[in-house]
Amino acid sequence: AQKVTQAQTEISVVEKEDVTLDCVYETRDTTYYLFWYKQPPSGELVFLIRRNSFDEQNEISGRYSWNFQKSTSSFNFTITASQVVDSAVYFCALSEAQAGTALIFGKGTTLSVSS
Amino acid sequence: GAVVSQHPSRVICKSGTSVKIECRSLDFQATTMFWYRQFPKKSLMLMATSNEGSKATYEQGVEKDKFLINHASLTLSTLTVTSAHPEDSSFYICSARDAKPNYGYTFGSGTRLTVV
């Protein structure tokens, strides 16, 4: 069975601090996709990144970066120089590659950035 | 990019009535749509998977007769909460995956249901 664990329930930081959100996953599939979504108070899910299981390269997008390590089944997300607008709930999610399969979400990490 | 339109965004209904939530893929064909439910400060829990032209597949613990899902076309799936009760109050969000398997998931903006 697939499972996504986000051990950090809530994180509070002060603006300009770097913060890393942890994500550990379990799957028996050799081909799968990993995702990160941001959910602001409005409720909409904002797509941040998708990574397939064959691509272990780390990715950087502005202040965001992701570290994918298959050896530890982790897909961690780092925000550099955090800002108040980064305050939201962040979800890590996993899906099989097969069409028709749903995304399985972790429990989410609530990030609060204060000024 | 792919867009999924979900309506209504908010609905308040009286206990015992039924509420229908629509989810439309606007610029792609969605052979499969997913319905999630989210309680306050909780994760998104998959309720069911709907496939166009066939019966939905419900997750364990989800009442099929209470949460009716219809996926009559490649662009429309509906979730009807029947005989709603206050405990059905929640945030419901749909998701569609394009027919091409390498595409990602597109989410609707969600529906906040309050049953009074």
Side-chain angles (χ1 to χ4, degrees):
Chain A
Q2 298 183 324
K3 184 179 179 182
V4 177
T5 301
Q6 294 179 258
Q8 303 150 309
T9 305
E10 295 184 10
I11 300 176
S12 294
V13 299
V14 179
E15 258 191 323
K16 298 184 183 179
E17 283 188 31
D18 298 347
V19 58
T20 296
L21 308 182
D22 297 333
C23 174
V24 174
Y25 63 92
E26 296 176 29
T27 180
R28 293 183 179 180
D29 298 325
T30 55
T31 304
Y32 50 89
Y33 292 98
L34 294 164
F35 299 76
W36 276 94
Y37 286 88
K38 175 182 180 179
Q39 188 179 41
S42 63
E44 285 193 50
L45 284 173
V46 178
F47 168 78
L48 297 177
I49 190 172
R50 180 184 70 182
R51 172 69 72 220
N52 74 53
S53 53
F54 295 110
D55 184 1
E56 283 195 72
Q57 285 190 349
N58 292 331
E59 180 151 340
I60 298 175
S61 177
R63 296 184 297 108
Y64 296 168
S65 62
W66 291 270
N67 185 343
F68 176 30
Q69 293 195 347
K70 288 180 74 171
S71 61
T72 56
S73 297
S74 65
F75 187 42
N76 297 336
F77 172 33
T78 298
I79 302 175
T80 303
S82 59
Q83 300 175 2
V84 172
V85 294
D86 296 328
S87 298
V89 181
Y90 290 87
F91 290 100
C92 181
L94 168 70
S95 78
E96 298 174 6
Q98 179 183 345
T101 57
L103 266 179
I104 303 302
F105 287 87
K107 292 188 176 181
T109 297
T110 300
L111 174 64
S112 298
V113 182
S114 58
S115 56
Chain B
V3 177
V4 170
S5 176
Q6 183 172 347
H7 292 282
S9 58
R10 290 179 180 272
V11 58
I12 300 173
C13 70
K14 291 185 177 180
S15 187
T17 61
S18 296
V19 173
K20 181 184 283 187
I21 302 170
E22 290 191 351
C23 184
R24 292 181 184 273
S25 57
L26 298 185
D27 49 4
F28 66 101
Q29 294 183 331
T31 54
T32 304
M33 287 191 177
F34 309 97
W35 288 93
Y36 293 85
R37 179 176 183 177
Q38 185 180 30
F39 291 103
K41 302 197 178 203
K42 296 292 184 182
S43 186
L44 290 90
M45 301 302 299
L46 179 67
M47 297 176 64
T49 300
S50 73
N51 295 296
E52 184 265 338
S54 62
K55 289 185 178 181
T57 302
Y58 291 81
E59 295 299 300
Q60 191 173 10
V62 177
E63 298 178 59
K64 302 178 183 181
D65 295 331
K66 167 164 279 293
F67 300 101
L68 299 180
I69 291 173
N70 183 282
H71 194 162
S73 76
L74 284 172
T75 59
L76 175 64
S77 177
T78 60
L79 167 66
T80 301
V81 183
T82 62
S83 187
H85 291 285
E87 57 265 30
D88 298 325
S89 298
S90 194
F91 188 67
Y92 295 88
I93 191 164
C94 67
S95 172
R97 199 176 195 188
D98 196 345
K100 299 176 183 178
N102 289 328
Y103 284 25
Y105 297 82
T106 303
F107 286 85
S109 54
T111 297
R112 199 165 299 279
L113 170 65
T114 303
V115 185
V116 298

PDB file of all heavy atoms in Angstrom, chain A residues 72-94:
ATOM      1  N   THR A  72      16.407   6.880   0.720  1.00  0.00           N
ATOM      2  CA  THR A  72      15.716   7.087   2.000  1.00  0.00           C
ATOM      3  C   THR A  72      14.226   7.327   1.810  1.00  0.00           C
ATOM      4  O   THR A  72      13.509   7.645   2.766  1.00  0.00           O
ATOM      5  CB  THR A  72      16.310   8.291   2.756  1.00  0.00           C
ATOM      6  OG1 THR A  72      16.249   9.447   1.902  1.00  0.00           O
ATOM      7  CG2 THR A  72      17.756   8.020   3.170  1.00  0.00           C
ATOM      8  N   SER A  73      13.746   7.166   0.570  1.00  0.00           N
ATOM      9  CA  SER A  73      12.330   7.386   0.240  1.00  0.00           C
ATOM     10  C   SER A  73      11.852   8.730   0.764  1.00  0.00           C
ATOM     11  O   SER A  73      10.814   8.851   1.432  1.00  0.00           O
ATOM     12  CB  SER A  73      11.458   6.269   0.839  1.00  0.00           C
ATOM     13  OG  SER A  73      11.787   5.020   0.282  1.00  0.00           O
ATOM     14  N   SER A  74      12.624   9.739   0.474  1.00  0.00           N
ATOM     15  CA  SER A  74      12.267  11.072   0.953  1.00  0.00           C
ATOM     16  C   SER A  74      12.217  12.076  -0.198  1.00  0.00           C
ATOM     17  O   SER A  74      12.927  11.941  -1.192  1.00  0.00           O
ATOM     18  CB  SER A  74      13.253  11.546   2.024  1.00  0.00           C
ATOM     19  OG  SER A  74      14.539  11.717   1.466  1.00  0.00           O
ATOM     20  N   PHE A  75      11.374  13.048  -0.008  1.00  0.00           N
ATOM     21  CA  PHE A  75      11.212  14.101  -1.013  1.00  0.00           C
ATOM     22  C   PHE A  75      10.959  15.400  -0.245  1.00  0.00           C
ATOM     23  O   PHE A  75       9.841  15.855  -0.095  1.00  0.00           O
ATOM     24  CB  PHE A  75      10.039  13.765  -1.930  1.00  0.00           C
ATOM     25  CG  PHE A  75       9.879  14.694  -3.104  1.00  0.00           C
ATOM     26  CD1 PHE A  75      10.960  15.139  -3.836  1.00  0.00           C
ATOM     27  CD2 PHE A  75       8.603  15.116  -3.495  1.00  0.00           C
ATOM     28  CE1 PHE A  75      10.806  15.982  -4.929  1.00  0.00           C
ATOM     29  CE2 PHE A  75       8.430  15.962  -4.593  1.00  0.00           C
ATOM     30  CZ  PHE A  75       9.528  16.391  -5.303  1.00  0.00           C
ATOM     31  N   ASN A  76      12.035  15.983   0.232  1.00  0.00           N
ATOM     32  CA  ASN A  76      11.934  17.135   1.114  1.00  0.00           C
ATOM     33  C   ASN A  76      11.900  18.450   0.353  1.00  0.00           C
ATOM     34  O   ASN A  76      12.470  18.578  -0.739  1.00  0.00           O
ATOM     35  CB  ASN A  76      13.088  17.145   2.110  1.00  0.00           C
ATOM     36  CG  ASN A  76      13.060  15.940   3.032  1.00  0.00           C
ATOM     37  OD1 ASN A  76      12.001  15.350   3.240  1.00  0.00           O
ATOM     38  ND2 ASN A  76      14.206  15.582   3.560  1.00  0.00           N
ATOM     39  N   PHE A  77      11.255  19.414   0.961  1.00  0.00           N
ATOM     40  CA  PHE A  77      10.996  20.709   0.326  1.00  0.00           C
ATOM     41  C   PHE A  77      11.574  21.816   1.203  1.00  0.00           C
ATOM     42  O   PHE A  77      11.268  21.876   2.394  1.00  0.00           O
ATOM     43  CB  PHE A  77       9.478  20.852   0.171  1.00  0.00           C
ATOM     44  CG  PHE A  77       8.981  22.189  -0.295  1.00  0.00           C
ATOM     45  CD1 PHE A  77       9.707  22.965  -1.172  1.00  0.00           C
ATOM     46  CD2 PHE A  77       7.744  22.670   0.135  1.00  0.00           C
ATOM     47  CE1 PHE A  77       9.229  24.191  -1.610  1.00  0.00           C
ATOM     48  CE2 PHE A  77       7.257  23.894  -0.298  1.00  0.00           C
ATOM     49  CZ  PHE A  77       7.995  24.650  -1.170  1.00  0.00           C
ATOM     50  N   THR A  78      12.425  22.639   0.613  1.00  0.00           N
ATOM     51  CA  THR A  78      13.052  23.730   1.355  1.00  0.00           C
ATOM     52  C   THR A  78      12.640  25.077   0.785  1.00  0.00           C
ATOM     53  O   THR A  78      12.677  25.275  -0.432  1.00  0.00           O
ATOM     54  CB  THR A  78      14.581  23.603   1.344  1.00  0.00           C
ATOM     55  OG1 THR A  78      14.955  22.395   1.994  1.00  0.00           O
ATOM     56  CG2 THR A  78      15.231  24.784   2.072  1.00  0.00           C
ATOM     57  N   ILE A  79      12.240  25.955   1.683  1.00  0.00           N
ATOM     58  CA  ILE A  79      11.961  27.341   1.300  1.00  0.00           C
ATOM     59  C   ILE A  79      13.086  28.188   1.873  1.00  0.00           C
ATOM     60  O   ILE A  79      13.328  28.181   3.094  1.00  0.00           O
ATOM     61  CB  ILE A  79      10.607  27.826   1.838  1.00  0.00           C
ATOM     62  CG1 ILE A  79       9.481  26.934   1.323  1.00  0.00           C
ATOM     63  CG2 ILE A  79      10.375  29.284   1.440  1.00  0.00           C
ATOM     64  CD1 ILE A  79       8.107  27.275   1.904  1.00  0.00           C
ATOM     65  N   THR A  80      13.749  28.896   1.002  1.00  0.00           N
ATOM     66  CA  THR A  80      14.858  29.753   1.423  1.00  0.00           C
ATOM     67  C   THR A  80      14.342  31.174   1.639  1.00  0.00           C
ATOM     68  O   THR A  80      13.514  31.665   0.879  1.00  0.00           O
ATOM     69  CB  THR A  80      15.945  29.762   0.345  1.00  0.00           C
ATOM     70  OG1 THR A  80      16.367  28.412   0.105  1.00  0.00           O
ATOM     71  CG2 THR A  80      17.151  30.587   0.768  1.00  0.00           C
ATOM     72  N   ALA A  81      14.846  31.807   2.672  1.00  0.00           N
ATOM     73  CA  ALA A  81      14.444  33.188   2.967  1.00  0.00           C
ATOM     74  C   ALA A  81      12.921  33.308   2.970  1.00  0.00           C
ATOM     75  O   ALA A  81      12.328  34.035   2.160  1.00  0.00           O
ATOM     76  CB  ALA A  81      15.060  34.143   1.964  1.00  0.00           C
ATOM     77  N   SER A  82      12.301  32.612   3.886  1.00  0.00           N
ATOM     78  CA  SER A  82      10.841  32.539   3.925  1.00  0.00           C
ATOM     79  C   SER A  82      10.197  33.922   4.032  1.00  0.00           C
ATOM     80  O   SER A  82      10.789  34.871   4.567  1.00  0.00           O
ATOM     81  CB  SER A  82      10.396  31.661   5.089  1.00  0.00           C
ATOM     82  OG  SER A  82      10.875  32.190   6.313  1.00  0.00           O
ATOM     83  N   GLN A  83       8.979  33.985   3.516  1.00  0.00           N
ATOM     84  CA  GLN A  83       8.214  35.226   3.556  1.00  0.00           C
ATOM     85  C   GLN A  83       6.845  34.942   4.157  1.00  0.00           C
ATOM     86  O   GLN A  83       6.383  33.792   4.155  1.00  0.00           O
ATOM     87  CB  GLN A  83       8.055  35.792   2.135  1.00  0.00           C
ATOM     88  CG  GLN A  83       9.356  36.112   1.450  1.00  0.00           C
ATOM     89  CD  GLN A  83       9.162  36.561   0.013  1.00  0.00           C
ATOM     90  OE1 GLN A  83       8.042  36.669  -0.486  1.00  0.00           O
ATOM     91  NE2 GLN A  83      10.274  36.841  -0.672  1.00  0.00           N
ATOM     92  N   VAL A  84       6.187  35.992   4.618  1.00  0.00           N
ATOM     93  CA  VAL A  84       4.868  35.830   5.236  1.00  0.00           C
ATOM     94  C   VAL A  84       3.895  35.168   4.265  1.00  0.00           C
ATOM     95  O   VAL A  84       3.058  34.351   4.653  1.00  0.00           O
ATOM     96  CB  VAL A  84       4.325  37.187   5.714  1.00  0.00           C
ATOM     97  CG1 VAL A  84       2.883  37.059   6.181  1.00  0.00           C
ATOM     98  CG2 VAL A  84       5.200  37.755   6.831  1.00  0.00           C
ATOM     99  N   VAL A  85       4.029  35.459   2.994  1.00  0.00           N
ATOM    100  CA  VAL A  85       3.131  34.882   1.984  1.00  0.00           C
ATOM    101  C   VAL A  85       3.315  33.382   1.816  1.00  0.00           C
ATOM    102  O   VAL A  85       2.502  32.715   1.172  1.00  0.00           O
ATOM    103  CB  VAL A  85       3.299  35.561   0.607  1.00  0.00           C
ATOM    104  CG1 VAL A  85       2.855  36.994   0.657  1.00  0.00           C
ATOM    105  CG2 VAL A  85       4.728  35.440   0.113  1.00  0.00           C
ATOM    106  N   ASP A  86       4.382  32.862   2.383  1.00  0.00           N
ATOM    107  CA  ASP A  86       4.594  31.413   2.321  1.00  0.00           C
ATOM    108  C   ASP A  86       3.743  30.674   3.343  1.00  0.00           C
ATOM    109  O   ASP A  86       3.667  29.444   3.333  1.00  0.00           O
ATOM    110  CB  ASP A  86       6.070  31.075   2.563  1.00  0.00           C
ATOM    111  CG  ASP A  86       6.988  31.617   1.477  1.00  0.00           C
ATOM    112  OD1 ASP A  86       6.548  31.688   0.314  1.00  0.00           O
ATOM    113  OD2 ASP A  86       8.142  31.967   1.809  1.00  0.00           O
ATOM    114  N   SER A  87       3.118  31.401   4.233  1.00  0.00           N
ATOM    115  CA  SER A  87       2.279  30.770   5.256  1.00  0.00           C
ATOM    116  C   SER A  87       1.123  30.030   4.590  1.00  0.00           C
ATOM    117  O   SER A  87       0.342  30.620   3.844  1.00  0.00           O
ATOM    118  CB  SER A  87       1.733  31.821   6.226  1.00  0.00           C
ATOM    119  OG  SER A  87       2.782  32.478   6.921  1.00  0.00           O
ATOM    120  N   ALA A  88       1.039  28.750   4.857  1.00  0.00           N
ATOM    121  CA  ALA A  88       0.023  27.898   4.221  1.00  0.00           C
ATOM    122  C   ALA A  88       0.198  26.488   4.749  1.00  0.00           C
ATOM    123  O   ALA A  88       1.086  26.214   5.554  1.00  0.00           O
ATOM    124  CB  ALA A  88       0.176  27.907   2.704  1.00  0.00           C
ATOM    125  N   VAL A  89      -0.673  25.611   4.283  1.00  0.00           N
ATOM    126  CA  VAL A  89      -0.489  24.189   4.545  1.00  0.00           C
ATOM    127  C   VAL A  89       0.152  23.583   3.302  1.00  0.00           C
ATOM    128  O   VAL A  89      -0.283  23.855   2.181  1.00  0.00           O
ATOM    129  CB  VAL A  89      -1.822  23.482   4.842  1.00  0.00           C
ATOM    130  CG1 VAL A  89      -1.584  22.006   5.143  1.00  0.00           C
ATOM    131  CG2 VAL A  89      -2.533  24.156   6.008  1.00  0.00           C
ATOM    132  N   TYR A  90       1.171  22.787   3.500  1.00  0.00           N
ATOM    133  CA  TYR A  90       1.871  22.166   2.389  1.00  0.00           C
ATOM    134  C   TYR A  90       1.665  20.656   2.453  1.00  0.00           C
ATOM    135  O   TYR A  90       1.861  20.027   3.494  1.00  0.00           O
ATOM    136  CB  TYR A  90       3.367  22.504   2.446  1.00  0.00           C
ATOM    137  CG  TYR A  90       3.639  23.954   2.142  1.00  0.00           C
ATOM    138  CD1 TYR A  90       3.608  24.906   3.155  1.00  0.00           C
ATOM    139  CD2 TYR A  90       3.919  24.380   0.843  1.00  0.00           C
ATOM    140  CE1 TYR A  90       3.841  26.252   2.881  1.00  0.00           C
ATOM    141  CE2 TYR A  90       4.151  25.719   0.560  1.00  0.00           C
ATOM    142  CZ  TYR A  90       4.108  26.640   1.583  1.00  0.00           C
ATOM    143  OH  TYR A  90       4.339  27.972   1.314  1.00  0.00           O
ATOM    144  N   PHE A  91       1.281  20.119   1.312  1.00  0.00           N
ATOM    145  CA  PHE A  91       1.022  18.687   1.221  1.00  0.00           C
ATOM    146  C   PHE A  91       2.009  18.026   0.273  1.00  0.00           C
ATOM    147  O   PHE A  91       2.270  18.520  -0.833  1.00  0.00           O
ATOM    148  CB  PHE A  91      -0.393  18.413   0.700  1.00  0.00           C
ATOM    149  CG  PHE A  91      -1.482  18.765   1.660  1.00  0.00           C
ATOM    150  CD1 PHE A  91      -2.183  19.950   1.541  1.00  0.00           C
ATOM    151  CD2 PHE A  91      -1.820  17.895   2.695  1.00  0.00           C
ATOM    152  CE1 PHE A  91      -3.194  20.278   2.423  1.00  0.00           C
ATOM    153  CE2 PHE A  91      -2.831  18.208   3.576  1.00  0.00           C
ATOM    154  CZ  PHE A  91      -3.514  19.406   3.451  1.00  0.00           C
ATOM    155  N   CYS A  92       2.524  16.901   0.697  1.00  0.00           N
ATOM    156  CA  CYS A  92       3.295  16.019  -0.154  1.00  0.00           C
ATOM    157  C   CYS A  92       2.351  14.911  -0.611  1.00  0.00           C
ATOM    158  O   CYS A  92       1.482  14.483   0.170  1.00  0.00           O
ATOM    159  CB  CYS A  92       4.468  15.453   0.644  1.00  0.00           C
ATOM    160  SG  CYS A  92       5.556  14.344  -0.278  1.00  0.00           S
ATOM    161  N   ALA A  93       2.484  14.475  -1.850  1.00  0.00           N
ATOM    162  CA  ALA A  93       1.558  13.465  -2.355  1.00  0.00           C
ATOM    163  C   ALA A  93       2.282  12.505  -3.283  1.00  0.00           C
ATOM    164  O   ALA A  93       3.335  12.826  -3.850  1.00  0.00           O
ATOM    165  CB  ALA A  93       0.383  14.127  -3.076  1.00  0.00           C
ATOM    166  N   LEU A  94       1.669  11.334  -3.443  1.00  0.00           N
ATOM    167  CA  LEU A  94       2.277  10.248  -4.215  1.00  0.00           C
ATOM    168  C   LEU A  94       1.231   9.632  -5.129  1.00  0.00           C
ATOM    169  O   LEU A  94       0.069   9.482  -4.742  1.00  0.00           O
ATOM    170  CB  LEU A  94       2.783   9.184  -3.234  1.00  0.00           C
ATOM    171  CG  LEU A  94       3.214   7.812  -3.744  1.00  0.00           C
ATOM    172  CD1 LEU A  94       4.499   7.920  -4.536  1.00  0.00           C
ATOM    173  CD2 LEU A  94       3.403   6.858  -2.568  1.00  0.00           C
TER     174      LEU A  94
END
